[in-house]
Amino acid sequence: MRRIAIAPATVLHPHAVMLIGTYGPDGRPNLMNAAWGGICCSDPPCVAVSLREATLTYHNILSAGAFTIGIPSRKHVEVADFVGIVSGRDHDKFLETGLTPVKSEKVSAPLAAELPFSLECRLLQHHQLGSHTIFIGEIVGIQADEDVLGPRGLPDIEKTQAILWGGLGSHHYFAVGEKLGAAFSAGRNLRSLQPRR
Amino acid sequence: MRRIAIAPATVLHPHAVMLIGTYGPDGRPNLMNAAWGGICCSDPPCVAVSLREATLTYHNILSAGAFTIGIPSRKHVEVADFVGIVSGRDHDKFLETGLTPVKSEKVSAPLAAELPFSLECRLLQHHQLGSHTIFIGEIVGIQADEDVLGPRGLPDIEKTQAILWGGLGSHHYFAVGEKLGAAFSAGRNLRSLQPRR
């Protein structure tokens, strides 16, 4: 292995594919595909998503103080990519994808009924970082397809058939592959490595 | 599909597995496994990681103003899990895993030489959210194994053989599966769906 220095870039992988649901001031539902984000606090449960001010969703979140994050399944690859390509300013993305907008029971934001699960979020904080502003939402509810819940009563990645984005180094969507080990368990075998050096 | 409401939880998937490298005030290198985080700004390129105050890494980042984020490969599943189980207060995690700490050329933080690539980050902002504080680091450099670079000159997820964490609903590590489509391209086929409703 030859380790080299390369120029700074936003490369890190994998990424979850997050479909952000918001209402405009006129009540029109919109959906966008965001790659920069993820869970950021356990208590209260929070999720972060970073957006450029040029997006419609940026302004919708600020005006409504709420958003949803839906996680697409393998069958939604084209839909997920489409809502990331076009703008809600020119397109009714629910209509054009065939996804059904349903108002969240907890916050003023729509979710796409066909996705395996969606987080319902209340805007808690936002901070401007540069090109992007990070929006921190408290997860105040979850809507899920009962069939994707695992033994813990939470959406299970093997049942949701979630997809991932490979990031800037690859620019493709991928399926989740084979199971490699249990978290908080696989590492317990490592004591044997202690005398290694 | 039967859509039901479930209680708020930090469930979203997949997650990248991020190994955070820091120096203590005494110069001792430490490595931890963080699941809450990811890229959060394109310009300047920034990455976020959320940590509880109880962790050694939390204090190391604040005192050094810097950290690295290394992305493990499939062969590092046990190592990645191990550094998430034990604390740097009681363990020399580089020594016990056999990973080699190398000082970043750009910031005051160590990186693990054996990982496919590591982001070198300068602390830019931090915000307390609740149980966790979110640390925003500007990516000022990247160290990468030349062999994992793809056609774009960036670490390619198929070459790094990156792993993912399935999150709270599954609690397992997984490999990256098959390629499903190109980003900013797969969705262009969707125009045919427009007349659907």
Side-chain angles (χ1 to χ4, degrees):
Chain A
M1 141 171 204
R2 210 163 69 98
R3 197 157 32 80
I4 60 171
I6 61 177
T10 50
V11 63
L12 177 151
H13 49 235
H15 297 271
V17 177
M18 305 187 299
L19 303 190
I20 316 299
T22 54
Y23 286 124
D26 54 359
R28 233 166 29 98
N30 189 42
L31 202 61
M32 83 170 285
N33 180 329
W36 298 167
I39 300 294
C40 62
C41 187
S42 297
D43 184 18
C46 293
V47 62
V49 60
S50 289
L51 301 170
R52 287 176 299 110
E53 190 177 346
T55 64
L56 182 59
T57 299
Y58 173 105
H59 299 281
N60 286 355
I61 291 179
L62 283 181
S63 66
F67 58 95
T68 66
I69 298 187
I71 297 298
S73 189
R74 290 176 67 147
K75 63 183 168 199
H76 303 120
V77 168
E78 291 188 356
V79 162
D81 195 56
F82 177 78
V83 302
I85 291 175
V86 301
S87 168
R89 291 199 178 84
D90 322 311
H91 291 260
D92 182 331
K93 296 199 247 182
F94 278 97
L95 187 69
E96 294 179 29
T97 56
L99 293 173
T100 310
V102 174
K103 188 189 171 308
S104 156
E105 291 172 13
K106 300 291 175 62
V107 298
S108 179
L111 53 88
E114 291 80 2
L115 300 180
F117 71 104
S118 295
L119 309 178
E120 301 161 281
C121 306
R122 181 175 66 87
L123 181 61
L124 208 60
Q125 297 185 14
H126 64 285
H127 304 282
Q128 203 199 330
L129 306 178
S131 59
H132 286 65
T133 294
I134 189 167
F135 293 90
I136 313 286
E138 178 181 352
I139 303 165
V140 295
I142 301 176
Q143 292 276 325
D145 175 357
E146 200 173 18
D147 294 340
V148 305
L149 303 184
R152 296 159 171 266
L154 294 172
D156 182 318
I157 196 168
E158 292 183 277
K159 296 187 173 189
T160 61
Q161 300 205 295
I163 58 176
L164 60 97
W165 180 49
L168 292 183
S170 138
H171 244 353
H172 280 80
Y173 299 104
F174 294 85
V176 173
E178 72 267 36
K179 205 178 259 191
L180 298 175
F184 301 106
S185 167
R188 298 197 190 279
N189 304 328
L190 208 74
R191 297 191 176 274
S192 56
L193 283 182
Q194 287 190 34
R196 190 167 143 184
R197 33 174 291 182
Chain B
M1 143 171 204
R2 209 163 69 98
R3 196 157 32 80
I4 59 172
I6 61 177
T10 51
V11 62
L12 178 152
H13 49 236
H15 297 271
V17 178
M18 306 187 297
L19 303 190
I20 315 298
T22 54
Y23 286 125
D26 55 359
R28 228 163 36 94
N30 189 41
L31 202 61
M32 86 169 283
N33 180 330
W36 298 166
I39 299 296
C40 62
C41 186
S42 296
D43 183 18
C46 293
V47 63
V49 60
S50 289
L51 301 169
R52 287 175 299 111
E53 191 176 346
T55 63
L56 183 59
T57 299
Y58 173 105
H59 299 281
N60 286 355
I61 291 178
L62 283 181
S63 65
F67 58 95
T68 66
I69 297 187
I71 297 298
S73 189
R74 289 176 66 144
K75 62 183 168 199
H76 303 120
V77 169
E78 291 188 356
V79 162
D81 195 56
F82 177 77
V83 303
I85 291 176
V86 302
S87 168
R89 291 200 176 82
D90 323 311
H91 291 259
D92 182 332
K93 297 199 248 184
F94 278 97
L95 188 69
E96 294 179 28
T97 56
L99 293 173
T100 311
V102 175
K103 188 188 170 310
S104 156
E105 292 171 13
K106 299 290 175 62
V107 298
S108 178
L111 53 89
E114 290 80 2
L115 299 180
F117 71 103
S118 294
L119 309 178
E120 302 161 282
C121 306
R122 180 175 68 85
L123 181 61
L124 207 59
Q125 297 185 15
H126 63 286
H127 304 283
Q128 203 199 330
L129 306 178
S131 60
H132 287 65
T133 294
I134 189 166
F135 293 91
I136 313 286
E138 179 182 351
I139 302 165
V140 294
I142 300 176
Q143 292 276 325
D145 175 358
E146 202 174 16
D147 294 340
V148 304
L149 302 183
R152 295 159 173 266
L154 294 172
D156 181 319
I157 196 168
E158 292 182 276
K159 296 187 172 189
T160 61
Q161 299 205 294
I163 58 176
L164 59 98
W165 179 49
L168 293 184
S170 138
H171 244 352
H172 280 79
Y173 299 104
F174 293 85
V176 173
E178 72 267 36
K179 206 178 261 191
L180 299 175
F184 301 107
S185 167
R188 296 195 191 281
N189 304 328
L190 209 72
R191 296 190 178 276
S192 56
L193 283 181
Q194 287 191 33
R196 190 167 143 185
R197 32 177 291 185

